[in-house]
Amino acid sequence: MGGELRTGEVTIQQVATEAGVSPSTVSNLLNGRNHRMLPETRQRIERAIDKLGYRPNRAARQLRTGRTTTIGLVVPSVGNPFWGALARHLESAALAEGYHVLLCNSERDPRRERDYIDELWADGVHGVVLCSSLPSLEHVMPLVERGLQLVAFDRTSQAGDPASLVSISVDNAIGSQLATQHLIDLGHRRLAFVSGALASVNRKERYRGFTGALEQAGIDPATSVRAPVKGDADDFGDVEASELGRAAAAELLALEEPPTGIVAINDMCALGVCRGLRDGGLEVGKDVSVVGFDDIVLADLYAPTLTTVRQPMQEMAAAAFSQLRSRLDDSGPKQGQSLLFRPELIVRESTVAPS
């Protein structure tokens, strides 16, 4: 049969015969046209595919449909285990539905993001999960206007965003507020917030949560410290977060009244802070308390274990893929949507009452 897809000796016709359906029904499932398909029919086809070991020819499918079952994932850097975890969970969700993921590291550089997405578009990849959290998406708007489906991860909706944009994020302000309130409840009053430049949406939200918790507790935010004073560049990337935290700790220890509690922008930064405090002869979880954000795998392996704010990564990654796929499959109008997930405070050994 001229239009039949083959992988070794297994064909769509054989899958159809095994499942007791027509070849066109099998084709509909393989190409995502299964919105009106009965669950029992889909299950029979999937069992037949598994039993026969059928694998569709992706190149032939792209020629026929003009689209690929590959999506793009643009992250700041997998040097931060948080982004590596996102890539793993997103890929798992994608593979379960017959999709593949191409990973790009942008270092939050708008030009690199644009270049990567341009290349993905040229290769027929029309869906991208973008994780830079930059305030403006102007650099990718030309492709969005041409039909690029975009999911913004770790970024809430902003003024000027395209109407079709899907935003998926944890509630960063609430997360930072939980971290700060935890220190306040322990009795800390001299608090510091450690971050690079507040140039991204998520960083601004986390700092807002920090100051909000102080105000709610009757602590003047002006008495707190946002460190570091130096090296606060807009191009600060996640790879350097640990070194920034270490340098910030040295600056904080040089103050006339160093803080007793520190909230870091993320776990890698927090681990750097812990190292810097140790360099200064202090003991984390005894002399100074430190809270991170993300709950990366290292948070529970470091000594002392790190109190942090957990993001529901698996659920967020699954939602990102689901939202992107629904927009790639749907030929109708695509409305924007904002999904906000609730963070969870994970208390470990790095936070105690001030001595």
Side-chain angles (χ1 to χ4, degrees), residues 31-35 67 71 97 99 126-129 149-151 164-166 168 318-337 339:
N31 290 288
R33 299 188 297 268
N34 59 326
H35 305 296
R67 284 163 51 189
I71 63 172
E97 298 293 334
Y99 280 71
H126 292 174
V128 171
V129 177
Q149 298 304 313
L150 198 63
V151 169
S164 62
L165 182 70
V166 178
I168 293 178
F321 173 72
S322 175
Q323 291 291 328
L324 189 59
R325 181 183 178 180
S326 69
R327 279 153 178 77
L328 290 170
D329 290 347
D330 184 9
S331 59
K334 302 175 179 66
Q335 300 299 320
Q337 191 172 0
L339 302 179

Side-chain angles (χ1 to χ4, degrees), residues 24-315:
S24 62
T25 301
V26 177
S27 180
N28 285 339
L29 175 62
L30 293 173
N31 290 288
R33 299 188 297 268
N34 59 326
H35 305 296
R36 298 182 179 179
M37 188 176 294
L38 293 174
E40 312 87 79
T41 303
R42 175 173 179 164
Q43 291 168 7
R44 290 206 311 274
I45 297 172
E46 290 173 343
R47 284 196 296 267
I49 289 172
D50 290 341
K51 178 179 178 180
L52 299 176
Y54 175 77
R55 295 184 62 189
N57 185 312
R58 288 191 293 143
R61 180 190 294 178
Q62 185 172 350
L63 285 173
R64 185 174 67 254
T65 64
R67 284 163 51 189
T68 178
T69 52
T70 300
I71 63 172
L73 172 62
V74 181
V75 302
S77 171
V78 290
N80 182 337
F82 174 81
W83 298 117
L86 169 63
R88 179 169 62 86
H89 288 304
L90 185 72
E91 183 178 48
S92 178
L95 288 174
E97 298 293 334
Y99 280 71
H100 294 76
V101 180
L102 290 179
L103 175 65
C104 308
N105 293 276
S106 72
E107 300 294 346
R108 285 198 173 91
D109 181 340
R111 179 174 296 180
R112 283 179 67 170
E113 289 183 356
R114 183 195 62 209
D115 289 346
Y116 273 134
I117 295 175
D118 278 344
E119 291 180 17
L120 291 168
W121 179 268
D123 289 338
V125 178
H126 292 174
V128 171
V129 177
L130 178 62
C131 304
S132 70
S133 196
L134 295 175
S136 173
L137 298 176
E138 190 65 30
H139 56 299
V140 296
M141 280 301 295
L143 282 179
V144 172
E145 291 168 356
R146 291 174 60 185
L148 174 73
Q149 298 304 313
L150 198 63
V151 169
F153 191 90
D154 198 25
R155 178 186 184 278
T156 52
S157 299
Q158 303 294 301
D161 283 349
S164 62
L165 182 70
V166 178
S167 296
I168 293 178
S169 178
V170 74
D171 193 322
N172 284 292
I174 290 294
S176 188
Q177 187 172 0
L178 288 172
T180 309
Q181 189 61 51
H182 170 62
L183 293 176
I184 293 171
D185 290 344
L186 287 172
H188 294 275
R189 291 298 180 269
R190 295 200 311 275
L191 300 174
F193 184 85
V194 176
S195 171
L198 301 180
S200 64
V201 173
N202 59 354
R203 291 179 188 168
K204 290 177 181 177
E205 287 294 293
R206 291 180 192 181
Y207 186 58
R208 184 169 69 85
F210 172 75
T211 57
L214 295 181
E215 292 172 348
Q216 189 172 1
I219 302 173
D220 184 357
T223 64
S224 68
V225 179
R226 188 178 76 82
V229 177
K230 300 177 182 177
D232 217 9
D234 284 351
D235 61 353
F236 166 69
D238 287 339
V239 175
E240 296 84 11
S242 58
E243 285 305 310
L244 180 139
R246 190 174 186 177
E251 294 183 19
L252 292 172
L253 291 181
L255 296 174
E256 185 176 344
E257 288 189 299
T260 62
I262 299 172
V263 177
I265 193 68
N266 60 33
D267 285 348
M268 290 299 290
C269 184
L271 295 177
V273 168
C274 292
R275 178 64 201 195
L277 293 172
R278 185 179 295 126
D279 291 342
L282 298 182
E283 187 176 340
V284 176
K286 180 179 179 181
D287 302 314
V288 184
S289 291
V290 179
V291 186
F293 202 115
D294 289 338
D295 195 26
I296 62 176
V297 66
L298 296 176
D300 197 34
L301 299 178
Y302 191 80
T305 54
L306 184 67
T307 294
T308 186
V309 176
R310 175 179 293 167
Q311 301 200 46
M313 176 60 71
Q314 188 169 356
E315 293 86 348

